[in-house]
Amino acid sequence: GRSMRTRMLILLCLLGWFTSWAEAPPWRLCTWNLHNFFDSVDDHYGDQVPKPEQVEKKLTDLSAALEKIGADVVAVQEVEKRALLERLAQRAGYRYAILVPGNDRVRGINVGLLSKKRVQGYASHRDDRLPYVEGAPLDSKFSRDCLEVHLRTPEPLIVLVNHFKSKVGKGKSFDSKRRAQAMRVCRLVSDLEVAYPGQGLAVLGDMNDSLESWPLQPLSHSGLYDPFVHLSPESRYTLKHRGQPVALDQILINRVLSRRWLRSSSQVGREKLFKRCSDHYPMWLDFQ
């Protein structure tokens, strides 16, 4: 009788565990370049200085857009300061706003992260030396930063938020610099997978190039998976560069995370509201 009762208890516990596991709601991961998200203070670098009411309008538009997207974790690019990101977080209902000032001394734009999920810790890679690529400066670093954030979603997750060298400057040196940045990110991915075996990992942000390009080749051959690969070019682009639609923003996931990806969830959002906020469109996907 007792062993039967024990077996029933174990079965009930397992059933309870399965249903609570199955009922855990999916969570959403997003990346978005917020396009010149500056405050109204004139700093010593070449930042744009919007009027306080323009900053206010941008905060209102962005928080409405973020509410519409409904992501739990949002990688952001082109944010001037942490205090500004904190204002957005407060308004849009995010518990964490992470931003470490990076290497962009010209425009003073940074990468950051908004999260409703618990942040365990984060690290900046702004001082990392990039591998040498012919045509790139010898002692080069990330253009802004590669921000490493460790989260609980509730499983442990690592995200690497990026904003690679822009396409605006023509010529080989810009391509070489992006390739060096991509190579460094790949190295970080392999180091992190050794240090944190079995953890989900995502590389995301504005890579300023398409995955098929020479600069991003290291990432496309890294073993990371592109969960947007099945979208048609019309659905996939995130920006119009000189009138041409291009997919400059990326979210790549490792094998562990790809097992939790909900396959039909990957999309690029193209609503008027998003267009009002930025020249880039946000992209997101869901995980179970």
Side-chain angles (χ1 to χ4, degrees), residues 251-270:
I251 300 178
L252 301 168
I253 56 180
N254 72 346
R255 187 170 288 135
V256 173
L257 194 54
S258 72
R259 292 190 203 116
R260 294 188 238 141
W261 167 52
L262 295 173
R263 294 190 174 268
S264 55
S265 66
S266 306
Q267 61 171 302
V268 177
R270 283 219 187 77

Side-chain angles (χ1 to χ4, degrees), residues 33-46:
N33 179 323
L34 303 183
H35 189 58
N36 296 335
F37 187 25
F38 290 107
D39 63 17
S40 54
V41 179
D42 190 2
D43 297 276
H44 54 83
Y45 42 83

Side-chain angles (χ1 to χ4, degrees), residues 28-252:
R28 180 165 287 179
L29 176 65
C30 170
T31 184
W32 197 10
N33 179 323
L34 303 183
H35 189 58
N36 296 335
F37 187 25
F38 290 107
D39 63 17
S40 54
V41 179
D42 190 2
D43 297 276
H44 54 83
Y45 42 83
D47 61 330
Q48 290 179 342
V49 191
K51 295 185 175 72
E53 57 271 22
Q54 290 172 306
V55 178
E56 196 50 45
K57 184 184 184 316
K58 180 114 176 176
L59 279 163
T60 304
D61 285 348
L62 282 174
S63 57
L66 287 171
E67 202 169 319
K68 199 148 216 174
I69 295 165
D72 300 88
V73 180
V74 186
V76 291
Q77 301 86 42
E78 294 202 17
V79 181
E80 186 178 13
K81 291 188 193 125
R82 183 168 184 154
L84 187 60
L85 193 60
E86 280 167 352
R87 280 168 73 186
L88 179 60
Q90 209 173 357
R91 204 170 285 203
Y94 286 87
R95 188 172 152 200
Y96 299 92
I98 296 162
L99 184 150
V100 180
N103 296 325
D104 192 325
R105 299 323 304 144
V106 179
R107 290 169 67 206
I109 51 174
N110 295 292
V111 300
L113 190 92
L114 292 168
S115 182
K116 294 176 182 178
K117 301 289 186 184
R118 196 170 70 184
V119 171
Q120 306 277 77
Y122 60 90
S124 163
H125 289 279
R126 64 186 173 186
D127 296 325
D128 291 16
R129 285 189 61 169
L130 304 181
Y132 174 66
V133 174
E134 195 193 338
L138 267 180
D139 189 17
S140 58
K141 295 179 173 158
F142 284 108
S143 307
R144 340 294 163 176
D145 192 4
C146 170
L147 180 65
E148 174 188 333
V149 187
H150 293 244
L151 302 141
R152 305 285 308 193
T153 62
E155 300 90 348
L157 168 77
I158 304 165
V159 296
L160 295 172
V161 185
N162 291 276
H163 185 185
F164 285 0
K165 185 75 185 155
S166 129
K167 252 178 135 57
V168 172
K170 267 284 159 246
K172 178 112 163 50
S173 73
F174 285 69
D175 287 352
S176 300
K177 176 111 189 216
R178 269 200 303 287
R179 189 176 173 97
Q181 292 176 343
M183 284 166 73
R184 178 66 193 143
V185 170
C186 291
R187 185 63 207 269
L188 287 172
V189 168
S190 51
D191 290 351
L192 286 164
E193 289 200 314
V194 170
Y196 302 92
Q199 287 203 13
L201 188 145
V203 168
L204 71 177
D206 178 0
M207 310 301 187
N208 265 312
D209 229 324
S210 67
L211 266 184
E212 303 77 66
S213 67
W214 177 75
L216 298 197
Q217 218 172 29
L219 282 168
S220 57
H221 293 130
S222 64
L224 291 171
Y225 180 71
D226 172 17
F228 291 80
V229 72
H230 60 287
L231 294 187
S232 68
E234 305 74 74
S235 328
R236 175 61 185 91
Y237 76 92
T238 54
L239 177 102
K240 286 205 165 156
H241 179 66
R242 303 192 176 125
Q244 288 305 306
V246 278
L248 299 185
D249 302 84
Q250 316 294 342
I251 300 178
L252 301 168

